[in-house]
Amino acid sequence: MSNASARRASAALFVALMGMASPAAAQQGRIWSFSLDEAKPQMAFLNYGVPETDDSFGGFHCDAHSGATTLFISETDGKQKAGKAATAILAVGDAKTKVAGKLVPNEEAGVPSFEGRIAADDPIFAAMARGEALVVTIGGSKQSAPLKGAAEKIGKFVEACKKK
């Protein structure tokens, strides 16, 4: 397996593990975390969940300095169908951005997850760094993640993902 294939498999595993969380699960203990792996090429991760568990709202990942990130939301709702195109609306206060993507299977939760691409320099990241909550709407599914204490991690993630 090539290094790039291994990295994509690693990202797929990360996404799969994130998909096992339930928004109804006890959300106490969820925090924003940032990590940068040591493999080449490096990947950066920004996740909101309970560390070292499968309890995850979702998050972002990127190939370092690629200029593009992938948004992954663990669960949408039962009215959504895996394999279909979808749009996620990210909002922080008055700042909003739309992310085109697709619904992917999540057998563990019984409802699809969402995956889409967003530029590393999208203004929503700056809004997240100074905002109070990230609200994600996908079809009839609306979820939020508090942003208190996340500014530094968001900044590190954007710095790791933006083009050099």
Side-chain angles (χ1 to χ4, degrees), residues 67-157:
T69 74
T70 298
L71 165 67
F72 183 84
I73 300 299
S74 298
E75 295 183 26
T76 57
D77 65 34
K79 296 176 185 164
Q80 308 286 333
K81 298 246 188 265
K84 301 280 186 187
T87 300
I89 300 170
L90 306 182
V92 179
D94 292 336
K96 289 185 181 176
T97 195
K98 291 182 179 181
V99 181
K102 64 184 176 191
L103 299 168
V104 295
N106 181 341
E107 285 84 19
E108 188 77 23
V111 297
S113 299
F114 173 86
E115 185 176 61
R117 303 272 287 170
I118 179 172
D121 62 356
D122 191 287
I124 200 69
F125 289 112
M128 287 172 61
R130 64 178 184 274
E132 293 182 22
L134 170 65
V135 178
V136 179
T137 305
I138 304 165
S141 171
K142 188 173 189 175
Q143 303 175 61
S144 65
L147 294 164
K148 183 176 181 177
E152 183 180 343
K153 294 168 188 163
I154 294 165
K156 286 180 180 180
F157 177 76

